[in-house]
């Protein structure tokens, strides 16, 4: 597709616009562009740029919740108190482990679900819609639903596992750190796999059909076709989806907040930052932790933009 | 062989369906159980009782919480669409210097971790005098919905035919007229899709809503549900929580079922081709 924003006056395709002085039209449209963007730019400056800048500033102060105006510049002291805190590194480790485990599971499950929903069968629309449901409800609600299912005494999961013989005694899913980590992953996988499945499904539907015809004629079985044809073709979109989800997983907060409460053994980075800010009232130290998280996300975003070859120009 | 394949396929579908829907089923069943029944693992309550659904609204300001969520989400959607419409026209249809930088910044802002603006936003909210008031949530939620709205609408706008715009320019239409009279009527579906996704994002937002509100009656639904608690740690009102969860989930499920096509197209419009 040609660039849709080429000024008309410059395109020779339409003869009748020739009498419009091109520069006047271009000038008018450029002015309009900036006027049109102004409200959004102001809004973004107010709700994104300014608060982000203030957070960075607080990271170099000893700001306290009781009186933000009394904060003093302390250089790297706040950042150092985060880096020297073993609890911070526990949360870093938890967050990365969570991101790796849950995104891997979501990718595999998403692939399986997408391949299943890609087939032609009656009721496909309903199946697709039902897959969307976990994605649409608030994370807090799904976390609460699962927390009840995971309840150590009355939970349905322990009851089923006991019946089937998977476990011999009830497990404290939400109390024990290693188990509660598994519980958090389970909720996140349940909630976000649909998103993954839909992205993969969209990519699957763009694949040319004749390749599969050729594979069939060559006598390649379904499994071989998947590994030799489908997977290589999906590599690009899959990478983008994975990085996108990694970014999301590194910012995680809600699921942990509901399922594991405030213990630092099972807390994500965002939870640590918020706890320092509002429970210990150390806005400076909390902002330093938030700034570190921001830096990690920024690196991943840069990778995403390079790998995804993000199409910002409008040329396909 | 063929029968085996078919059976395996439907089995697979059944497993996916159970995995996806079982938690909802269990929440509904639990919400209809009261007293000691809640602690028996029965697949269906012996005597379904609706008292949990009544208690949610009488023992908690849950009606107010729903109202708050509706107000916040609606305001956020309206603001995002108003701002996003003109911005995306400029970004999609006009060649000007700095366009790529702007598009990249929009994308970058949509990747912000919310926690990175939390303390700065808190200060701003305090300074504007809207702490513990709904406008605090409306303003802060824009950071989630505005970049996304601009991005998706830009994707949709690019696909509109050039001829329309050219004809309008020949007729002497200003850019403003092109947006409002030529494109807007065609953008109905795109606006609906984007609006719906923004609504869901604002409706589900938790971190800002938790941090910028204090009183029970200013809380939004997710915060209320997260903080429901009984008299002590040992008596979490699970029946109540499940009832509240079901109440919140039903309208979203209906929305998803009605607009599934739109949602899928919107979710993938923002996605990038590899």
């Amino acid at each position: 597709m040609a660039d849709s924003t080429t000024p008309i006056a410059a395109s020779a395709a339409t003869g009748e616009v020739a009498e419009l002085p091109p520069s006047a039209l271009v000038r008018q449209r450029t002015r309009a562009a900036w006027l049109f963007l102004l409200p959004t730019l102001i809004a973004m400056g107010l709700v994104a740029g300014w608060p982000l800048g203030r957070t960075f500033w607080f990271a170099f102060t000893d700001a306290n919740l009781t009186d933000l105006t009394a904060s003093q510049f302390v250089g790297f002291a706040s950042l150092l108190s985060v880096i020297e805190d073993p609890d911070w590194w526990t949360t870093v480790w938890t967050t990365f482990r969570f991101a790796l485990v849950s995104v891997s599971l979501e990718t595999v499950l998403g692939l399986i679900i997408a391949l299943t929903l890609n087939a032609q069968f009656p009721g496909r629309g309903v199946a697709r819609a039902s897959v969307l449901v976990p994605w649409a409800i608030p994370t807090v609600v799904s976390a609460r639903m699962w927390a009840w299912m995971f309840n150590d005494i009355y939970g349905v999961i322990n009851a089923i596992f006991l019946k089937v013989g998977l476990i011999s005694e009830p497990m404290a899913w939400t109390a024990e750190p290693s188990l509660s980590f598994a519980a958090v992953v389970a909720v996140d996988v349940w909630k976000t796999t649909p998103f993954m499945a839909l992205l993969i499904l969209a990519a699957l539907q763009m694949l040319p059909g004749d390749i599969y015809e050729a594979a069939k004629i060559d006598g390649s079985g379904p499994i071989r076709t998947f590994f030799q044809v489908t997977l290589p073709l999906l590599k690009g979109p899959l990478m983008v989806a994975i990085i996108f989800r990694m970014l999301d997983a590194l910012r995680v907060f809600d699921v942990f907040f509901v399922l594991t409460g405030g213990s630092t053994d099972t807390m994500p980075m965002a939870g640590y930052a918020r706890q320092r800010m509002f429970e210990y009232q150390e806005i400076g130290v909390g902002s330093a932790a938030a700034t570190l998280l921001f830096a990690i996300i920024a690196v991943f975003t840069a990778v995403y933009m390079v790998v995804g070859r993000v199409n910002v120009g409008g040329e396909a | 062989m063929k029968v085996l394949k078919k059976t395996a396929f439907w089995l697979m579908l059944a497993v996916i369906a159970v995995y996806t829907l079982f938690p909802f089923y269990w929440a509904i069943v639990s919400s209809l159980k009261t007293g000691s029944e809640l602690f028996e693992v029965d697949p269906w309550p012996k005597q379904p009782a609706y008292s949990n659904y009544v208690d949610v609204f009488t023992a908690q300001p849950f009606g107010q919480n729903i109202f708050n969520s509706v107000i916040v989400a609606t305001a956020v959607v309206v603001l995002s669409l108003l701002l996003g419409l003109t911005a995306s026209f400029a970004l999609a249809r006009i060649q000007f210097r700095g366009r790529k930088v702007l598009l990249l910044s929009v994308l970058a802002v949509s990747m912000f971790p919310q926690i990175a603006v939390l303390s700065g936003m808190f200060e701003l909210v305090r300074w504007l005098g809207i702490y513990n008031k709904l406008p605090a949530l409306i303003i802060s939620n824009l950071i989630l919905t505005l970049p996304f709205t601009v991005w998706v609408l830009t994707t949709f706008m690019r696909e509109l035919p050039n001829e329309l715009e050219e004809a309008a320019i020949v007729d002497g239409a200003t850019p403003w007229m092109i947006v409002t009279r030529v494109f807007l009527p065609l953008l109905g579906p795109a606006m609906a899709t984007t609006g719906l996704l923004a609504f869901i994002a604002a409706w589900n937002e938790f971190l800002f809503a938790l941090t910028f509100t204090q009183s029970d009656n200013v809380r939004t639904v997710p915060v209320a549900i997260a903080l429901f608690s009984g008299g002590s740690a040992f008596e979490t009102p699970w029946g109540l929580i499940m009832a509240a969860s079901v109440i919140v989930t039903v309208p979203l499920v209906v929305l998803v079922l009605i607009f599934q096509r739109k949602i899928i197209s919107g979710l993938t419009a923002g996605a990038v081709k590899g």
Side-chain angles (χ1 to χ4, degrees), chain A residues 18-311:
Chain A
E19 63 267 25
L20 268 172
S23 60
L25 183 61
V26 172
R27 264 214 308 278
Q28 182 211 10
R29 285 173 65 84
T30 307
R31 204 173 48 235
W34 286 106
L35 271 176
F36 279 4
L37 282 161
L38 197 63
T40 297
L41 291 178
I42 292 172
M44 292 266 230
L46 181 76
V47 302
W50 170 257
L52 186 69
R54 289 301 291 171
T55 301
F56 290 166
W57 164 248
F58 284 140
F60 294 95
T61 67
D62 61 0
N64 192 288
L65 192 60
T66 43
D67 184 9
L68 285 175
T69 50
S71 49
Q72 296 287 321
F73 180 80
V74 291
F76 289 100
S78 288
L79 276 163
L80 278 175
S81 57
V82 174
I83 289 171
E84 286 165 359
D85 181 3
D87 282 349
W88 162 252
W89 293 106
T90 311
T91 64
V92 171
W93 169 231
T94 304
T95 312
F96 272 91
R97 214 160 38 117
F98 166 78
L100 281 172
V101 175
S102 64
V103 174
S104 314
L105 286 171
E106 280 154 26
T107 308
V108 174
L109 283 174
L111 257 172
I112 293 172
I113 292 178
L115 287 168
T116 310
L117 293 181
N118 198 28
Q120 295 283 358
F121 60 93
R124 187 162 88 157
V126 177
R128 275 189 195 186
S130 73
V131 165
L132 264 178
V133 168
W135 164 86
I137 61 166
T139 311
V140 173
V141 171
S142 37
R144 277 288 211 179
M145 281 185 194
W146 282 82
W148 170 233
M149 286 166 46
F150 276 124
N151 188 291
D152 48 351
I153 310 171
Y154 312 113
V156 67
I157 290 179
N158 271 343
I160 291 175
F161 281 9
L162 281 169
K163 231 188 187 105
V164 183
L166 271 173
I167 49 177
S168 53
E169 51 187 39
M171 311 271 256
W173 290 104
T174 48
E176 193 145 329
S178 61
L179 287 177
S180 69
F181 178 80
V184 168
V185 168
V187 178
D188 192 70
V189 166
W190 178 76
K191 185 179 161 57
T192 352
T193 301
F195 177 75
M196 212 55 173
L198 284 175
L199 285 185
I200 298 169
L201 190 59
L204 276 175
Q205 289 178 329
M206 280 196 268
L207 298 183
D210 45 10
I211 298 184
Y212 287 94
E213 293 295 321
K216 230 189 194 124
I217 291 165
D218 291 343
S220 155
I223 297 196
R224 198 174 139 210
T225 308
F226 172 74
F227 281 105
Q228 301 211 324
V229 179
T230 310
L231 209 51
L233 283 173
L234 279 182
K235 213 164 79 185
L238 209 54
M239 277 311 290
V240 171
I242 288 171
I243 296 170
F244 205 80
R245 275 293 307 136
M246 283 295 280
L247 285 171
D248 246 354
L250 291 173
R251 309 184 268 207
V252 66
F253 173 75
D254 323 16
V255 192
F256 280 92
F257 182 88
V258 173
L259 275 169
T260 64
S263 93
T264 36
D265 305 338
T266 44
M267 194 187 258
M269 287 185 269
Y272 176 93
R274 188 179 180 278
Q275 190 181 50
R276 292 300 288 254
M277 284 179 204
F278 293 98
E279 278 169 50
Y280 306 157
Q281 312 210 333
E282 300 166 310
I283 289 281
V285 181
S287 299
T291 303
L292 288 172
L293 175 57
F294 180 85
I296 293 169
I297 301 262
V299 170
F300 271 82
T301 306
V303 172
Y304 166 77
M305 291 197 175
V306 173
V307 174
R309 290 194 299 278
V310 175
N311 174 11

Side-chain angles (χ1 to χ4, degrees), chain A residues 1 3-8 14 16-17 20 25 28-30 32-34 36-37 39-41 43-44 46-48 50-52 54-55 58 65 68 109 112-113 116-117 119 121-122 125-141 144-149 151 154-156 159-160 186 189-191 193 195 198-199 202 206 236-237 240 244 247 251 253-254 257-258 270 273-274 277-278 283 287 290 293-294 297 301 304-305 308-315, chain B residues 5 9-10 12-13 16 19-24 26-27 30 38-39 41 83-84 86-87 89-100 102-104 106-124 126 139-140 142-143 146-147 150-151 158 162 165-166 169-170 173-176 178-179 197 200 203-204 206-207 210-212 222 225-229 236 238 241-242 245-246 248-249 252-253 256-257 260 263-264 267-268 270-274:
Chain A
M1 181 186 135
D3 200 297
S4 56
T5 52
T6 323
I8 325 288
T14 47
E16 64 261 276
V17 244
L20 268 172
L25 183 61
Q28 182 211 10
R29 285 173 65 84
T30 307
W34 286 106
F36 279 4
L37 282 161
T40 297
L41 291 178
M44 292 266 230
L46 181 76
V47 302
W50 170 257
L52 186 69
R54 289 301 291 171
T55 301
F58 284 140
L65 192 60
L68 285 175
L109 283 174
I112 293 172
I113 292 178
T116 310
L117 293 181
F121 60 93
V126 177
R128 275 189 195 186
S130 73
V131 165
L132 264 178
V133 168
W135 164 86
I137 61 166
T139 311
V140 173
V141 171
R144 277 288 211 179
M145 281 185 194
W146 282 82
W148 170 233
M149 286 166 46
N151 188 291
Y154 312 113
V156 67
I160 291 175
V189 166
W190 178 76
K191 185 179 161 57
T193 301
F195 177 75
L198 284 175
L199 285 185
M206 280 196 268
V240 171
F244 205 80
L247 285 171
R251 309 184 268 207
F253 173 75
D254 323 16
F257 182 88
V258 173
R274 188 179 180 278
M277 284 179 204
F278 293 98
I283 289 281
S287 299
L293 175 57
F294 180 85
I297 301 262
T301 306
Y304 166 77
M305 291 197 175
R309 290 194 299 278
V310 175
N311 174 11
V312 286
E315 53 281 313
Chain B
K5 244 185 168 162
F9 175 78
W10 285 103
M12 186 76 221
L13 267 183
I16 292 173
Y19 173 68
T20 307
L21 302 173
F22 180 80
F24 295 110
W26 197 246
S30 306
L38 194 55
F39 306 125
V41 184
L83 294 168
T86 54
F89 175 82
L91 292 170
R93 317 284 310 189
I94 302 178
Q95 257 321 5
F96 61 94
R97 208 172 306 157
R99 192 176 66 118
K100 277 196 179 181
L102 281 176
L103 270 168
L104 277 172
V106 167
L107 193 64
V109 171
S110 68
M111 307 264 178
F112 274 17
Q114 277 177 279
I115 190 82
V117 294
L118 195 66
S119 51
M121 192 78 86
F122 178 78
E123 184 196 37
L124 182 72
R126 274 283 198 61
I139 286 184
S140 53
L142 277 180
I143 197 177
L146 187 55
V150 170
W151 188 258
R158 270 193 197 134
N162 279 340
E165 200 177 353
E166 289 173 17
I169 291 176
V170 172
T174 59
W176 175 248
I178 295 174
V179 174
L197 290 171
I200 291 175
W203 181 271
N204 295 351
F206 182 64
L207 182 60
L210 177 72
T211 310
F212 302 145
I225 290 180
L227 301 181
F228 269 165
S229 54
T236 310
W238 287 111
I241 293 168
M242 289 305 121
S245 300
V246 172
V248 177
T249 305
L252 284 170
V253 171
V256 165
L257 289 177
Q260 51 146 328
I263 292 175
I264 293 172
L267 279 179
T268 46
V272 188
K273 298 188 190 79

